[in-house]
């Protein structure tokens, strides 16, 4: 893609310049009347400023390639280009080029750039999204400062796993949470169990395989006592099987696990042995939203040995940006069942649709 700003005395002159420099297939992105200063700024003269783009993909996306001159006629007669369905175009091809022409972007795209930056998305994602927005705006010709936010939202939502992978709620008999130590598993498990019991009036029980730290068992015991729900602490596979039998009549069994170092393979093997993966299990990978993107990815990789249905992102109250969460979601194609936003049990938990999540990301 080539993009360039032209200043000329008239649209006709600008068209000539564009044709000469970019050829017949260039497309007008933006044009405005400007005053050109002359004689040391003492006199001014009307001029036009035109931003033109030459892009193979945009040209092909339009059924008939419009030449710059044709575009000029349309602009002059103040007619809008026919809206064409924006095509799905590859992300990368122009994002590298963006760096060179960011300063000549028209106002709506500058606004989009600011929003993406604030969201804390990685640079390559910002550029890819901006490029897509630029392309679709060239094709449809209807990008304004008022509608840029909603167009940006639509583009971002499309990059996330589809809505049906998000809000499922608690549906299975067994609910298990995985994740590294301190991610917020036990607290979140208590939130889920409490709302299942208090709002849905389900008969619930707890199990834990986190027997490495006394404090971890005590923590869950406290929540179990508060909810007057039974808790089984399982030190072995046999004890897990016994507990599962004991809780056969319960609606939901909430299972807490140890958050040992991701790198220990033995830990994953143990989990695989102790958790009833074969029998109606809903499993969540708990990741802290305040962790760095690289750490989240590492967590995801280390738990690739266990089946993960959905994510739970904790501590959204501790981070200013959900950019890393967005990135993990868009790369993994796994939905986020819940977000947690505080230490209070049971209230600090919510579920979001991809659309709601993107709104949170951009505010
Ligand atoms: N600010 C904040 N703190 C949280 C949230 N969820 C959990 N925590 C805190 O994070 C710490 C570790 O939580 P815990 O449930 O013990 O993590 P686990 O080791 O994964 O079981 C505790 O101090 C929790 O109160 C949250 O959404 N926001
Ligand atoms: Mg814990």
């Amino acid at each position: 893609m080539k993009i360039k700003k032209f200043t000329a005395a008239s649209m006709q002159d600008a068209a000539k310049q564009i044709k000469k420099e970019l050829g017949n297939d260039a497309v007008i992105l933006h044009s405005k009347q400007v005053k050109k200063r002359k004689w040391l700024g003492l006199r001014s003269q009307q001029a036009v400023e035109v931003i033109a783009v030459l892009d193979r993909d945009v040209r092909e996306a339009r059924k008939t390639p419009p030449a710059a001159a044709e575009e000029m006629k349309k602009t002059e007669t103040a007619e809008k280009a026919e809206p064409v369905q924006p095509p799905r175009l590859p992300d990368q091809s122009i994002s590298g080029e963006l760096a060179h022409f960011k300063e000549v972007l028209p106002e709506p795209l500058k606004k989009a750039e600011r929003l993406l930056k604030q969201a804390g998305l990685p640079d390559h994602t910002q550029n890819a999204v901006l490029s897509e927005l630029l392309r679709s705006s060239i094709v449809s010709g209807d990008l304004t400062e008022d509608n840029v936010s909603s167009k940006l939202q639509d583009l971002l939502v499309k990059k996330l796993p589809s809505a049906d992978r998000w809000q499922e709620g608690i549906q299975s008999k067994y609910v298990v949470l995985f994740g590294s130590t301190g991610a917020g598993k036990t607290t979140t498990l208590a939130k889920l169990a409490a709302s299942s019991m208090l709002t849905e009036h389900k008969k619930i029980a707890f199990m834990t395989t986190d027997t490495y730290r006394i404090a971890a068992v005590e923590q869950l015991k406290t929540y179990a006592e508060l909810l007057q729900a039974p808790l089984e602490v399982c030190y072995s596979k046999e004890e897990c099987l016994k507990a599962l039998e004991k809780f056969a009549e319960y609606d939901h069994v909430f299972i807490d696990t140890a958050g040992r170092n991701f790198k220990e393979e033995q830990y994953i093997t143990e989990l695989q042995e102790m958790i009833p993966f074969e029998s109606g299990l809903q499993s969540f990978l708990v990741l802290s939203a305040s962790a760095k993107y690289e750490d989240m990815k590492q967590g995801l990789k280390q738990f690739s040995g266990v089946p993960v249905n959905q994510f739970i992102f904790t501590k959204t109250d501790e981070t200013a940006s959900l950019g890393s969460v967005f990135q993990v979601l868009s790369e993994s194609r796994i939905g986020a069942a819940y977000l947690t936003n505080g230490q209070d049990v049971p209230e600090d938990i919510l579920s979001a649709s991809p659309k709601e999540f993107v709104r949170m990301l951009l505010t």
Side-chain angles (χ1 to χ4, degrees), residues 61-308:
R62 292 184 164 208
K63 298 263 157 49
T64 45
E70 281 172 40
E71 282 288 293
M72 290 296 181
K73 269 187 228 143
K74 275 189 202 156
T75 322
E76 280 183 336
T77 51
E79 270 175 27
K80 257 195 168 177
E82 278 262 304
V84 182
Q85 204 52 23
R88 293 266 329 131
L89 295 166
D91 287 352
Q92 283 83 9
S93 55
I94 68 168
S95 54
E97 295 279 323
L98 267 174
H100 304 298
F101 62 73
K102 268 183 177 164
E103 73 275 11
V104 300
L105 289 182
E107 222 29 71
L109 286 163
K110 277 191 184 147
K111 184 175 168 186
E113 194 198 357
R114 276 196 305 277
L115 289 169
L116 288 166
K117 203 172 216 148
Q118 276 165 20
L121 295 168
D123 285 352
H124 68 276
T125 305
Q126 286 186 37
N127 284 336
V129 173
L130 208 52
S131 303
E132 275 179 55
L133 193 64
L134 174 63
R135 277 222 173 95
S136 70
S137 77
I138 296 170
V139 172
S140 66
D142 68 344
L143 194 72
T144 66
E145 270 190 78
D146 290 336
N147 70 16
V148 68
S149 291
S150 76
K151 283 186 185 282
L152 188 58
Q153 277 180 28
D154 292 347
L155 272 178
L156 290 169
V157 167
K158 277 194 204 135
K159 293 196 169 292
L160 290 171
S162 57
D164 56 319
R165 298 185 192 194
W166 293 57
Q167 298 160 299
E168 270 175 32
I170 298 300
Q171 289 170 347
S172 302
K173 173 152 183 173
Y174 302 105
V175 178
V176 63
L177 267 51
F178 303 116
S180 62
T181 303
K185 291 179 299 299
T186 306
T187 313
T188 307
L189 197 75
K191 289 173 184 176
L192 295 175
S195 83
S196 170
M197 184 183 198
L198 302 172
T199 54
E200 290 175 44
H201 311 290
K202 300 288 188 196
K203 192 174 172 192
I204 64 143
F206 287 104
M207 277 170 63
T208 181
T209 66
D210 186 2
T211 53
Y212 302 98
R213 291 175 305 139
I214 300 285
V217 175
E218 288 303 315
Q219 187 190 0
L220 194 60
K221 216 179 225 170
T222 308
Y223 289 122
E225 279 168 10
L226 280 169
L227 294 171
Q228 296 184 329
L231 162 69
E232 284 294 319
V233 182
C234 310
Y235 290 88
S236 64
K237 188 178 183 179
E238 286 67 38
E239 284 178 342
C240 272
L241 291 172
K242 259 194 217 153
L244 293 173
E245 228 179 274
K246 185 175 166 190
F247 294 144
E249 302 303 315
Y250 282 72
D251 295 323
H252 296 297
V253 182
F254 291 90
I255 307 170
D256 199 5
T257 61
R260 283 219 288 189
N261 192 321
F262 287 148
K263 293 189 183 80
E264 292 175 53
E265 266 178 39
Q266 194 206 341
Y267 164 58
I268 299 291
T269 314
E270 259 174 49
L271 276 181
Q272 285 168 335
E273 281 185 358
M274 289 170 72
I275 307 299
F277 283 113
E278 61 289 341
S279 46
L281 181 94
Q282 220 173 339
S283 63
F284 298 98
L285 180 59
V286 180
L287 297 174
S288 166
S290 61
K292 289 199 299 276
Y293 163 73
E294 293 302 333
D295 297 338
M296 287 192 212
K297 262 198 99 166
Q298 181 67 11
L300 187 58
K301 200 169 147 208
Q302 294 298 337
F303 280 93
S304 58
V306 292
V308 168

